[in-house]
Amino acid sequence: MNTGPRDRRREQRALLAHGTSDHYVDPELYDFEYHERLGDVMWYRGLTRRTGPVSGGPRSILELGAGTGRITIPLLTDGHAVTALDRMRTMLDALERKLALESRQDARARLRLVLADMRALPLPDSSFELVIAPFNTLQHLYTADELLRCFREVARVLVPGGTFAFDVMLPDLDWLTWDPTRRHAVTPFVHPRTGARLIYSTNHHYDAHTQVCHIRIYYDDDTPTARARLEHGDAPEPEPRELVHLAHRQIFPEELRALLPAAGLTLDRLEGDFRGLRLGEEIESMVAVSHKPR
Ligand SMILES: C[S@@+](CC[C@H](N)C(=O)[O-])C[C@H]1O[C@@H](n2cnc3c(N)ncnc32)[C@H](O)[C@@H]1O
């Protein structure tokens, strides 16, 4: 049995490694699960129009954690030049396949794919007018120090006057402390690639010491027994066909107000849900816009 501090650290590292990768090994399923998330796509498109190019011509944009291109492809369609960076080849390959399906040779010519870690950008200084990190990507940095390293890299690659925008979840202490054994969001669905009939459900455990929320996403075979058990919470639970771990560090507003300036960036706006709302109880996403001073 693992009990010592070294074992616990090893377990924690393994959990974080799974929590950074598991959710991104099946890009078709990822796109299926988030196909209704459109508000952020519109917001990032609008941002590129509002902030305008520093030096004329199409904007040079760096997207951290570009994934399958949910945001990248619309930005390419709008005529921008996008460097899509991600640590998962599965996600970048899916992005490239999706763009190929759209037969947009011109858009492909404006796309650069970079397989790298956002804490160490293999990119030259002052080379982007806009850096974005959409959809909770920064929550995969598991300490304040890692976040600061990333912010410093962003400041380095931005041109003076350039913009850095991102969104992360606003920590919700009520949600974070839900019963970690109960399944939520129980949803039957058909896997978009394999055609398997499955039931999606989740639960999570919040480690207040590290500020990391460990989300478990269960994929159970869709049988009448499994449905009854999951929908009515009867024990024992079915053995899932697949269990996906997703680890998200919770980032509090005050951390951003401290870490962005520490990296040489000025925070201009911190608001809610892509609608300019004041941060409060009902807000899910915290949207930050900052810039590198000239
Ligand atoms: C929630 S997805 C967001 C993908 C895309 N931006 C979107 O809006 O759909 C987070 C992405 O960040 C990537 N990621 C996580 N940690 C990373 C790191 N340290 N460096 C680069 N990419 C990372 C993941 O592989 C994943 O594709």
Side-chain angles (χ1 to χ4, degrees), residues 20 23-24 30 40 63-71 85-88 91 116-119 134-137 140-141 248:
T20 316
H23 193 43
Y24 310 119
Y30 175 91
D40 59 350
E63 184 179 353
L64 304 178
T68 59
R70 225 172 40 84
I71 310 277
L85 180 140
D86 205 287
R87 63 181 286 282
M88 294 290 288
M91 296 294 263
D117 193 298
M118 62 187 157
R119 290 165 294 186
F135 199 11
N136 310 332
T137 291
H140 284 302
L141 300 177
H248 272 162

Side-chain angles (χ1 to χ4, degrees), residues 64 118 138 141 146-154:
L64 304 178
M118 62 187 157
L138 295 175
L141 300 177
E146 290 188 8
L147 198 54
L148 182 59
R149 267 170 66 192
C150 175
F151 287 170
R152 288 197 170 123
E153 281 292 81
V154 169

Side-chain angles (χ1 to χ4, degrees), residues 21 24 26 51 71-72 90 102-104 107 125 133 139 146 166-168 170 184-185 207 246 257 262 272 285 290:
S21 307
Y24 310 119
D26 188 341
T51 48
I71 310 277
T72 325
T90 44
E102 293 193 6
S103 314
R104 290 286 307 261
D125 296 357
Q139 293 187 251
E146 290 188 8
F166 58 89
D167 62 278
V168 289
L170 179 66
H184 309 284
D207 179 350
L246 174 63
R257 295 188 184 108
S285 294
S290 62

Side-chain angles (χ1 to χ4, degrees), residues 206-233:
Y206 180 50
D207 179 350
H209 188 74
T210 57
Q211 292 182 205
V212 176
C213 181
H214 296 276
I215 302 166
R216 290 171 293 267
I217 307 174
Y218 300 82
Y219 297 96
D220 290 285
D221 286 314
D222 188 356
T223 61
T225 333
R227 241 185 223 231
R229 280 178 176 162
L230 291 172
E231 281 168 2
H232 307 299

